Amino acid sequence: MLIGVAREIASGERRVALVPEVVPQLTRAGHRVVIECDAGLRAGFTDDAYRAVGCEVVDTSEQIFSTAQMVLKVQRPGRAESSGRAELDMLTPGTVLIGLFQPSGDPAFFQQVADRKIITCSMELVPR
Protein backbone atom coordinates (compact mmCIF):
# COMPACT_ATOMS: atom_id res chain seq x y z
CA MET A 1 0.00 0.00 0.00
CA LEU A 2 1.19 3.52 -0.75
CA ILE A 3 0.90 5.63 2.43
CA GLY A 4 1.25 9.39 2.05
CA VAL A 5 1.74 12.33 4.40
CA ALA A 6 1.21 15.89 3.19
CA ARG A 7 2.39 19.04 4.93
CA GLU A 8 -0.26 20.33 7.34
CA ILE A 9 -1.78 23.60 6.16
CA ALA A 10 -4.10 24.44 9.06
CA SER A 11 -3.14 27.75 10.63
CA GLY A 12 -0.75 27.27 13.57
CA GLU A 13 -0.47 23.49 13.14
CA ARG A 14 3.06 22.33 13.92
CA ARG A 15 2.51 18.58 14.13
CA VAL A 16 3.11 15.98 11.44
CA ALA A 17 0.96 12.86 11.03
CA LEU A 18 3.90 10.44 10.87
CA VAL A 19 7.26 10.66 12.64
CA PRO A 20 10.39 9.06 11.19
CA GLU A 21 10.68 6.42 13.91
CA VAL A 22 7.40 4.81 12.75
CA VAL A 23 8.29 4.61 9.04
CA PRO A 24 10.38 1.40 9.36
CA GLN A 25 7.41 -0.42 10.91
CA LEU A 26 5.35 0.43 7.83
CA THR A 27 8.06 -0.39 5.29
CA ARG A 28 8.86 -3.72 7.01
CA ALA A 29 5.19 -4.58 6.61
CA GLY A 30 5.59 -4.05 2.85
CA HIS A 31 4.15 -0.53 2.53
CA ARG A 32 5.71 2.32 0.57
CA VAL A 33 5.73 5.63 2.44
CA VAL A 34 5.90 9.07 0.80
CA ILE A 35 5.96 12.44 2.48
CA GLU A 36 5.74 15.96 1.12
CA CYS A 37 8.92 18.03 1.23
CA ASP A 38 9.25 19.82 4.60
CA ALA A 39 6.10 18.17 6.02
CA GLY A 40 7.89 17.36 9.27
CA LEU A 41 10.01 20.48 9.55
CA ARG A 42 7.73 22.43 11.95
CA ALA A 43 7.64 19.35 14.19
CA GLY A 44 11.44 19.12 14.19
CA PHE A 45 11.94 16.39 11.54
CA THR A 46 13.98 17.07 8.40
CA ASP A 47 13.44 15.49 5.00
CA ASP A 48 16.79 13.74 5.48
CA ALA A 49 15.48 12.11 8.68
CA TYR A 50 12.60 10.64 6.67
CA ARG A 51 14.87 9.55 3.79
CA ALA A 52 17.21 7.83 6.27
CA VAL A 53 14.43 5.49 7.37
CA GLY A 54 13.20 4.63 3.87
CA CYS A 55 10.62 7.30 3.18
CA GLU A 56 10.38 8.90 -0.26
CA VAL A 57 10.14 12.72 -0.22
CA VAL A 58 8.03 14.34 -2.97
CA ASP A 59 7.69 17.99 -3.98
CA THR A 60 3.95 18.67 -3.73
CA SER A 61 0.85 17.72 -1.77
CA GLU A 62 -0.86 17.00 -5.08
CA GLN A 63 1.54 14.07 -5.55
CA ILE A 64 0.41 12.69 -2.20
CA PHE A 65 -3.32 13.22 -2.56
CA SER A 66 -3.61 11.96 -6.12
CA THR A 67 -1.59 8.75 -5.70
CA ALA A 68 -1.60 7.54 -2.08
CA GLN A 69 -3.97 4.75 -1.14
CA MET A 70 -3.86 5.92 2.48
CA VAL A 71 -3.35 9.53 3.54
CA LEU A 72 -2.35 10.42 7.09
CA LYS A 73 -3.18 13.92 8.35
CA VAL A 74 -3.34 15.68 11.67
CA GLN A 75 -6.11 18.12 10.71
CA ARG A 76 -8.93 17.67 8.22
CA PRO A 77 -8.20 18.44 4.56
CA GLY A 78 -8.07 22.09 3.57
CA ARG A 79 -6.87 24.02 0.50
CA ALA A 80 -3.44 23.20 -0.89
CA GLU A 81 -1.07 26.17 -0.65
CA SER A 82 0.66 25.52 -3.95
CA SER A 83 -2.41 25.20 -6.18
CA GLY A 84 -5.34 26.53 -4.18
CA ARG A 85 -7.12 23.23 -4.83
CA ALA A 86 -9.12 21.56 -2.08
CA GLU A 87 -7.15 18.61 -0.71
CA LEU A 88 -10.34 16.57 -0.46
CA ASP A 89 -10.99 17.06 -4.19
CA MET A 90 -7.59 15.56 -5.01
CA LEU A 91 -8.31 12.27 -3.21
CA THR A 92 -9.47 9.38 -5.34
CA PRO A 93 -12.47 7.20 -4.39
CA GLY A 94 -11.45 4.39 -2.06
CA THR A 95 -8.60 6.34 -0.45
CA VAL A 96 -8.29 5.78 3.30
CA LEU A 97 -8.00 9.12 5.14
CA ILE A 98 -6.84 9.04 8.77
CA GLY A 99 -6.52 12.02 11.11
CA LEU A 100 -8.24 14.21 13.69
CA PHE A 101 -11.43 15.41 12.00
CA GLN A 102 -13.72 16.58 14.87
CA PRO A 103 -16.71 14.54 13.65
CA SER A 104 -19.29 16.15 15.90
CA GLY A 105 -18.45 19.65 14.70
CA ASP A 106 -19.16 19.46 10.97
CA PRO A 107 -21.50 16.80 9.59
CA ALA A 108 -21.18 18.39 6.11
CA PHE A 109 -17.51 17.33 5.98
CA PHE A 110 -18.45 13.71 6.55
CA GLN A 111 -21.17 13.94 3.94
CA GLN A 112 -18.54 15.18 1.49
CA VAL A 113 -16.17 12.29 2.20
CA ALA A 114 -19.06 9.83 1.96
CA ASP A 115 -20.19 11.30 -1.37
CA ARG A 116 -16.60 11.03 -2.68
CA LYS A 117 -16.34 7.43 -1.37
CA ILE A 118 -13.36 8.26 0.86
CA ILE A 119 -12.88 5.86 3.76
CA THR A 120 -12.34 8.06 6.83
CA CYS A 121 -11.08 7.21 10.29
CA SER A 122 -11.22 10.02 12.83
CA MET A 123 -8.59 9.12 15.42
CA GLU A 124 -10.15 11.00 18.32
CA LEU A 125 -12.88 8.35 18.31
CA VAL A 126 -10.48 5.41 18.57
CA PRO A 127 -10.25 4.09 22.13
CA ARG A 128 -6.75 4.38 23.60
Side-chain angles (χ1 to χ4, degrees):
M1 176 179 287
L2 178 58
I3 301 171
V5 180
R7 185 179 322 119
E8 293 293 326
I9 59 176
S11 178
E13 183 58 73
R14 298 178 55 86
R15 297 173 289 179
V16 62
L18 183 67
V19 297
E21 70 186 59
V22 177
V23 172
Q25 296 172 37
L26 298 171
T27 57
R28 276 195 306 269
H31 303 293
R32 184 173 149 220
V33 182
V34 297
I35 190 163
E36 183 181 358
C37 179
D38 294 336
L41 203 53
R42 289 180 284 184
F45 304 107
T46 65
D47 291 344
D48 286 339
Y50 284 99
R51 284 187 192 100
V53 292
C55 194
E56 179 184 341
V57 178
V58 298
D59 293 328
T60 67
S61 61
E62 288 84 355
Q63 292 171 277
I64 303 291
F65 289 108
S66 65
T67 61
Q69 296 163 296
M70 177 183 287
V71 174
L72 309 178
K73 287 200 49 75
V74 175
Q75 299 292 331
R76 67 174 56 181
R79 277 209 186 271
E81 297 170 349
S82 58
S83 68
R85 292 180 61 196
E87 293 176 328
L88 191 59
D89 291 343
M90 291 185 267
L91 293 170
T92 58
T95 300
V96 177
L97 178 63
I98 299 175
L100 301 170
F101 304 130
Q102 303 94 29
S104 61
D106 187 4
F109 169 75
F110 286 94
Q111 187 61 57
Q112 283 181 302
V113 294
D115 291 345
R116 294 192 43 78
K117 299 185 178 4
I118 305 300
I119 301 159
T120 307
C121 180
S122 193
M123 293 304 293
E124 63 267 56
L125 297 179
V126 175
R128 301 281 189 259

